[in-house]
Amino acid sequence: TQLLEQSPQFLSIQEGENLTVYCNSSSVFSSLQWYRQEPGEGPVLLVTVVTGGEVKKLKRLTFQFGDARKDSSLHITAAQPGDTGLYLCAGGGDYKLSFGAGTTVTVRA
Amino acid sequence: GAVVSQHPSWVICKSGTSVKIECRSLDFQATTMFWYRQFPKQSLMLMATSNEGSKATYEQGVEKDKFLINHASLTLSTLTVTSAHPEDSSFYICSARPPQAGGPNEQFFGPGTRLTVL
């Protein structure tokens, strides 16, 4: 089983501040996914990174895949209350996904 | 595209009864679906992989006789929690992967089913 470590576990910030969530592993992944989950709902896929060193932007969210494809980060610029949720990174082989423990982000208005 | 639905969204049952949860891929065919369990403020725990036309593959520690999985068609998988007990109360989520040979392992999740066993 490929393990993914996410940090921090919890993050509470004021609206307008920036934040970064990290996802690290000792294993190489062919791809990594980032999901956001709101209470009582299923996770929603935000992005998939495939190439080492890849950077993808989704509005105020920036995702980076490490050069060695063992780690990834999610950076949110000027966070808004709507960014509140559980952020999960996931990676895996051909079919099963391994999930990080998740980062609970709370953005206070 | 890549929409997955679950039914019911929540269910309350008495201890000892069985509960069936359905997972459907609405706009694609899925030979493989996945069932997860999630406790409050925790990540997803994979319970089993549902394979169309064959037996499900269960993760270590998951009782296959307790959590019956049937993947009868390319768009439907069901999870039946048999003889449910209060400790089975949880949020159950399914996912499916659209067919994309050689592509990244992206899974799309249903909205989840909240099971409460009294």
Side-chain angles (χ1 to χ4, degrees), chain B residues 16-19 47-48 55-70 78-85 88 92:
Chain B
T17 61
S18 295
V19 174
M47 298 174 65
K55 292 182 179 179
T57 305
Y58 290 83
E59 294 300 299
Q60 190 173 9
V62 178
E63 299 176 59
K64 61 180 181 180
D65 296 329
K66 172 80 171 172
F67 299 98
L68 300 179
I69 291 173
N70 185 282
T78 60
L79 168 68
T80 301
V81 183
T82 63
S83 186
H85 290 286
D88 298 323
Y92 292 88

Side-chain angles (χ1 to χ4, degrees), chain B residues 13-79:
Chain B
C13 70
K14 293 183 178 180
S15 185
T17 61
S18 295
V19 174
K20 180 185 286 188
I21 303 170
E22 293 185 348
C23 177
R24 294 181 185 272
S25 55
L26 297 185
D27 51 2
F28 64 96
Q29 293 184 331
T31 55
T32 304
M33 293 184 175
F34 305 89
W35 287 97
Y36 295 84
R37 184 173 180 176
Q38 186 178 34
F39 292 103
K41 298 191 182 300
Q42 293 188 22
S43 188
L44 281 68
M45 182 186 76
L46 179 65
M47 298 174 65
T49 302
S50 173
N51 305 297
E52 189 269 335
S54 64
K55 292 182 179 179
T57 305
Y58 290 83
E59 294 300 299
Q60 190 173 9
V62 178
E63 299 176 59
K64 61 180 181 180
D65 296 329
K66 172 80 171 172
F67 299 98
L68 300 179
I69 291 173
N70 185 282
H71 196 149
S73 76
L74 287 172
T75 59
L76 173 64
S77 174
T78 60
L79 168 68

Side-chain angles (χ1 to χ4, degrees), chain A residues 9-10 31 33 35 37 40-43 45 48 50 86 88 92-97 99-102 104, chain B residues 32 34 36 38 41-44 46 49 51 57 59 91 93 97 104-112 114:
Chain A
Q9 187 177 359
F10 299 97
S31 67
Q33 287 78 43
Y35 294 84
Q37 184 181 24
E41 299 181 10
L45 179 65
T48 298
V50 178
L86 176 66
L88 297 158
D94 290 340
Y95 68 105
K96 283 203 297 187
L97 282 179
F99 279 86
T104 300
Chain B
T32 304
F34 305 89
Y36 295 84
Q38 186 178 34
K41 298 191 182 300
Q42 293 188 22
S43 188
L44 281 68
L46 179 65
T49 302
N51 305 297
T57 305
E59 294 300 299
F91 193 52
I93 312 175
R97 180 186 174 192
N105 186 3
E106 296 176 336
Q107 292 182 18
F108 294 86
F109 288 82
R114 171 72 57 192

Side-chain angles (χ1 to χ4, degrees), chain A residues 3 18 28 31 42 46 49 51 55 71 100 102:
Chain A
L3 297 177
N18 303 332
V28 175
S31 67
L46 296 175
V49 286
T51 306
V55 177
D71 56 88

